[in-house]
Amino acid sequence: MKKKLTVILFGLMSLGIGLLLLHLSPDPMAENLELAREASNAQEAAAAISANNKKDVVYSTVAHLFVGIGFGVTGYGVFMSGKKENSEEKS
């Protein structure tokens, strides 16, 4: 039972970290709109928006990775069978 709770706790912590990262990340659309307004022509705007989107990719990928791991591990912990642990304790 202790292993099951440890797995669930790890999953919930990963899920919480991922959701916190997603919540704290700045809105790229608002930044892109501001960059487009400040640009003097379309090519300059496109280059600035592209650079802004590239820096956001790694951050959002890590955040979504934590959310995915959190869901998966928490689900595994909830549906984890306790039969193995019970049979090991009796031996």
Side-chain angles (χ1 to χ4, degrees):
M1 188 69 172
K2 186 176 181 182
K3 183 177 179 182
K4 183 175 181 175
L5 290 176
T6 305
V7 170
I8 292 172
L9 182 63
F10 175 74
L12 290 175
M13 284 177 28
S14 296
L15 183 62
I17 290 170
L19 291 175
L20 183 67
L21 289 174
L22 286 175
H23 182 69
L24 294 178
S25 67
D27 184 19
M29 293 299 184
E31 290 180 26
N32 289 345
L33 182 61
E34 189 61 35
L35 289 171
R37 286 182 181 161
E38 293 174 0
S40 59
N41 60 29
Q43 281 185 323
E44 187 179 311
I49 290 171
S50 175
N52 186 43
N53 288 342
K54 285 179 184 176
K55 74 176 183 179
D56 187 52
V57 168
V58 174
Y59 187 81
S60 67
T61 301
V62 170
H64 284 93
L65 178 70
F66 272 108
V67 169
I69 289 172
F71 272 123
V73 172
T74 303
Y76 174 73
V78 168
F79 297 112
M80 194 176 187
S81 175
K83 290 183 180 177
K84 261 188 191 176
E85 293 177 21
N86 290 340
S87 63
E88 288 176 4
E89 289 175 2
K90 290 180 182 177
S91 306

